[in-house]
C-alpha cells in the first residue's frame, strides 16, 4: 500500500490511515506503483480538536502555495477526509470552497438537486432501491465539473448497503484498450452521440424537469415563445455549434406539452491535465447496468458519434472491467469524499431501510479543462459560456 503520508499544516497534521480492502485498493497502470484509491486523510489523533474555520484556513494556505491537494487528487483520483468537524450543509460548503475551485453549474441537469447551502445540493434523490452504477459526473452534456465533493451527513450501519463505488477512469481506459482495442478505436474516431430528453414533468422520481434543466430565467408569466427562447439561450451556452442540436416536440402553443430532445456529439475519452494520459470519461457502463438492474431506461441514451449502436458485448465487458477495479466506500458520518472527475468514477449502491437513513450531499467545481483525444473538432472539451440575463 501507499507509504504513510503526513501533511503538516500551520496548526495541525493530516495523516493517511488504513481502510478495509473492500474500501481501498492499489491502482493498476498507468498510476504510479503502490498508489491507492482513495487516499484517506484525517487529523493526527493526538492533536487537540480544532474549529472548522482553522482547518479551512490551513487548507487554503496549502492550496494557494502549492496546490497540494490538487496534486494528490491528480495522483490518486479520490481523497477521503475523515474526523473533521463537518456537521451540516453549511460546514460542508465552507470546507469545499476552501480548495479554491470555481463553483460549477450543470447546464441541462438530469437529476433534481435543490440548493441546501452555497453550491451544495443532495447528491441524488432517486429512490433507495435504484442502482446508480459507476460513471463520471455529467458525461451526457458537454460541460462537466472537474472536481466533485461528497459529504456523508447521515450514514447507514454496515451491511445495509448505500456505499459509494470508486474507480479510476485512467485504469479503466488501460484495461479496455487491452481487452477491447476496437471499441477504443471506435470511440476515438467517432465519439458518442448523447441524446437527452427533457420533459415538463420529471421522467422519474428524483429526475429533473425541463425547467430545472434550462429554465433558470423563466418566469411564471412568460408565454410559450418566451420560455422556449430562454431555454434555447441556455443551450447556446454550451458553445458547441453544430455538435449540439435540439428539437422541440409537443404542442406549439402550450408550453406544458413541450418536450425537448437534445443531442450532443461528445468525446468519451479525455486526457488528464498535466500528464495527457487518456481517461475513459463516460456513463456507458452506467446506462447499460442501470437499465439491466433497475428495469428502466435513462434520461440519456448514447450511441457512436455516427449514429450507429454500440455493441452490447462491449458494454457488458466495460461493466465487468469496472466491477473488477472498483471499491465500495462505506460511509461514516462526517466523511468527505473528493473526486477528480476527469480521472475517477463514482456511483451509489441501493440500501435497506428508509430513504432518509442515508443522506449524502454534493458540491461541484470547475478546474482546468481536460484535453482532447479524438479525430475532430467534436473531441475538444470547452467550458460553458458565461450566463447573461435574458433580455425581453
Amino acid at each position: 500500500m501507499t507509504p504513510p503520508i503526513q501533511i503538516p499544516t500551520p496548526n495541525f497534521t493530516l495523516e493517511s490511515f488504513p481502510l478495509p480492502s473492500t474500501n481501498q485498493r492499489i491502482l493498476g497502470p498507468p498510476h504510479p506503483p503502490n498508489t491507492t484509491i482513495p487516499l484517506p486523510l484525517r487529523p493526527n489523533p493526538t492533536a487537540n480538536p480544532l474549529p472548522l474555520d482553522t482547518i479551512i484556513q490551513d487548507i487554503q494556505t496549502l492550496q494557494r502555495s502549492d496546490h497540494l491537494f490538487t496534486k494528490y487528487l491528480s495522483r490518486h483520483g479520490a481523497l477521503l477526509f475523515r474526523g473533521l468537524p463537518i456537521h451540516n450543509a453549511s460546514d460542508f460548503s465552507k470546507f469545499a470552497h476552501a480548495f479554491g475551485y470555481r463553483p460549477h453549474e450543470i447546464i441541462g441537469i438530469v437529476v433534481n438537486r435543490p440548493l441546501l447551502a452555497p453550491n451544495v445540493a443532495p447528491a441524488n434523490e432517486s429512490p433507495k432501491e435504484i442502482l446508480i452504477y459507476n460513471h463520471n459526473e455529467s458525461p451526457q452534456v458537454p460541460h462537466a465539473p472537474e472536481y466533485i465533493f461528497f459529504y456523508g451527513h447521515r450514514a447507514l450501519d454496515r451491511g445495509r448497503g448505500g456505499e459509494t463505488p470508486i474507480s479510476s477512469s485512467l485504469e479503466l481506459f488501460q484495461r479496455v484498450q487491452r481487452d477491447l482495442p476496437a471499441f477504443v478505436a471506435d470511440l476515438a474516431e467517432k465519439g458518442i452521440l448523447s441524446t437527452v430528453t427533457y420533459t415538463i414533468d420529471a421522467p422519474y422520481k428524483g429526475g429533473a424537469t425541463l425547467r430545472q434543466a434550462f429554465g433558470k430565467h423563466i418566469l411564471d408569466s412568460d408565454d410559450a415563445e418566451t420560455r422556449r427562447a430562454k431555454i434555447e439561450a441556455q443551450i447556446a451556452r454550451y458553445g458547441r455549434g453544430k455538435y449540439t442540436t435540439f428539437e422541440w416536440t409537443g404542442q406549439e402553443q402550450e408550453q406544458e406539452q413541450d418536450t425537448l430532445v437534445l443531442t450532443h456529439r461528445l468525446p468519451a475519452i479525455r486526457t488528464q491535465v498535466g500528464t495527457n494520459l487518456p481517461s475513459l470519461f463516460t456513463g456507458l457502463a452506467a446506462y447499460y447496468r442501470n437499465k439491466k438492474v433497475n428495469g428502466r431506461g435513462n434520461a440519456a441514451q448514447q450511441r457512436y458519434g455516427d449514429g450507429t449502436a454500440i455493441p452490447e458485448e462491449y458494454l457488458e465487458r466495460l461493466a465487468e472491467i469496472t466491477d473488477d477495479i472498483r471499491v465500495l466506500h462505506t460511509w461514516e458520518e462526517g466523511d468527505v469524499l473528493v473526486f477528480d472527475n476527469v480521472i475517477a468514477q463514482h456511483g451509489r449502491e441501493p440500501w435497506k431501510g428508509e430513504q432518509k437513513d442515508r443522506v449524502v450531499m454534493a458540491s461541484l467545481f470547475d478546474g482546468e479543462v481536460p484535453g482532447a483525444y479524438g479525430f475532430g473538432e467534436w473531441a475538444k472539451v470547452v467550458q460553458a459560456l458565461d450566463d447573461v440575463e435574458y433580455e425581453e
Side-chain angles (χ1 to χ4, degrees):
M1 303 296 279
T2 300
I5 292 173
Q6 290 196 331
I7 304 174
T9 77
N11 292 288
F12 68 105
T13 297
L14 282 168
E15 61 180 23
S16 60
F17 61 96
L19 291 172
S21 59
T22 54
N23 206 139
Q24 183 186 51
R25 64 181 289 269
I26 295 177
L27 290 161
H31 292 273
N34 298 316
T35 300
T36 62
I37 193 169
L39 171 64
L41 298 168
R42 65 186 176 190
N44 187 301
T46 62
N48 294 323
L50 292 171
L52 181 60
D53 286 347
T54 299
I55 293 170
I56 286 173
Q57 289 172 6
D58 286 3
I59 287 175
Q60 289 173 331
T61 297
L62 293 178
Q63 277 288 86
R64 287 170 181 165
S65 65
D66 194 37
H67 303 288
L68 184 66
F69 296 103
T70 302
K71 291 177 181 178
Y72 278 118
L73 275 170
S74 179
R75 179 184 176 105
H76 294 267
L79 308 180
L80 166 65
F81 292 91
R82 179 169 286 173
L84 300 180
I86 298 174
H87 306 294
N88 52 50
S90 179
D91 290 345
F92 172 51
S93 176
K94 293 175 184 177
F95 178 78
H97 282 83
F99 289 73
Y101 305 130
R102 183 174 63 255
H104 174 80
E105 176 192 1
I106 299 180
I107 305 171
I109 192 169
V110 295
V111 296
N112 181 26
R113 285 181 171 157
L115 193 66
L116 304 175
N119 201 35
V120 170
N124 194 296
E125 294 193 311
S126 293
K128 61 184 177 64
E129 299 85 5
I130 297 299
L131 169 72
I132 303 173
Y133 195 67
N134 286 51
H135 62 282
N136 303 91
E137 183 62 36
S138 302
Q140 77 283 354
V141 295
H143 177 44
E146 276 74 45
Y147 300 104
I148 311 171
F149 290 69
F150 291 114
Y151 157 57
H153 180 65
R154 187 173 299 144
L156 296 156
D157 297 331
R158 287 185 178 271
R160 290 177 57 189
E163 299 92 349
T164 290
I166 307 171
S167 57
S168 164
S169 297
L170 297 175
E171 185 177 7
L172 182 63
F173 177 88
Q174 293 281 324
R175 290 283 302 272
V176 174
Q177 187 178 51
R178 184 190 72 187
D179 292 6
L180 300 171
F183 183 32
V184 171
D186 283 340
L187 289 176
E189 180 182 353
K190 304 173 184 178
I192 56 171
L193 280 185
S194 175
T195 300
V196 192
T197 300
Y198 299 93
T199 54
I200 196 70
D201 297 315
Y204 51 82
K205 188 174 182 180
T209 66
L210 174 61
R211 185 165 179 175
Q212 289 167 337
F214 295 105
K216 61 185 295 186
H217 296 308
I218 287 177
L219 304 176
D220 291 340
S221 58
D222 288 340
D223 59 22
E225 182 180 357
T226 301
R227 291 187 184 202
R228 287 192 179 188
K230 289 182 175 181
I231 289 170
E232 291 172 13
Q234 290 299 306
I235 295 172
R237 293 179 58 204
Y238 285 131
R240 295 280 296 177
K242 65 181 181 181
Y243 301 115
T244 288
T245 60
F246 63 89
E247 178 185 7
W248 290 103
T249 63
Q251 299 293 324
E252 286 296 325
Q253 301 302 321
E254 296 183 31
Q255 179 74 17
E256 289 73 13
Q257 300 299 316
D258 274 342
T259 294
L260 174 67
V261 181
L262 195 62
T263 300
H264 309 280
R265 188 176 182 186
L266 299 171
I269 306 169
R270 305 185 183 189
T271 59
Q272 183 185 28
V273 173
T275 68
N276 289 324
L277 290 169
S279 174
L280 198 54
F281 187 97
T282 180
L284 288 172
Y287 300 138
Y288 175 73
R289 186 64 65 82
N290 291 353
K291 186 172 184 179
K292 288 188 68 174
V293 173
N294 301 327
R296 75 180 192 192
N298 297 274
Q301 302 297 325
Q302 298 193 349
R303 296 159 284 154
Y304 282 132
D306 62 1
T308 58
I310 299 173
E312 185 171 335
E313 58 266 28
Y314 288 174
L315 300 176
E316 178 62 40
R317 183 58 187 147
L318 180 62
E320 291 172 353
I321 294 171
T322 303
D323 285 340
D324 190 41
I325 66 173
R326 71 180 194 156
V327 294
L328 299 178
H329 174 68
T330 300
W331 288 94
E332 293 187 8
E333 289 190 6
D335 280 356
V336 174
L337 269 178
V338 188
F339 286 79
D340 182 328
N341 187 47
V342 177
I343 66 167
Q345 296 190 334
H346 65 278
R348 191 197 73 177
E349 293 291 291
W351 70 90
K352 301 173 184 177
E354 302 298 324
Q355 188 79 16
K356 61 182 177 61
D357 292 344
R358 178 193 186 273
V359 177
V360 175
M361 303 177 193
S363 190
L364 312 180
F365 294 87
D366 291 333
E368 293 189 60
V369 178
Y373 187 101
F375 300 104
E377 287 293 316
W378 55 266
K380 293 182 179 179
V381 184
V382 297
Q383 293 281 19
L385 302 176
D386 291 338
D387 196 13
V388 294
E389 288 294 329
Y390 184 83
E391 296 182 3
E392 299 293 343

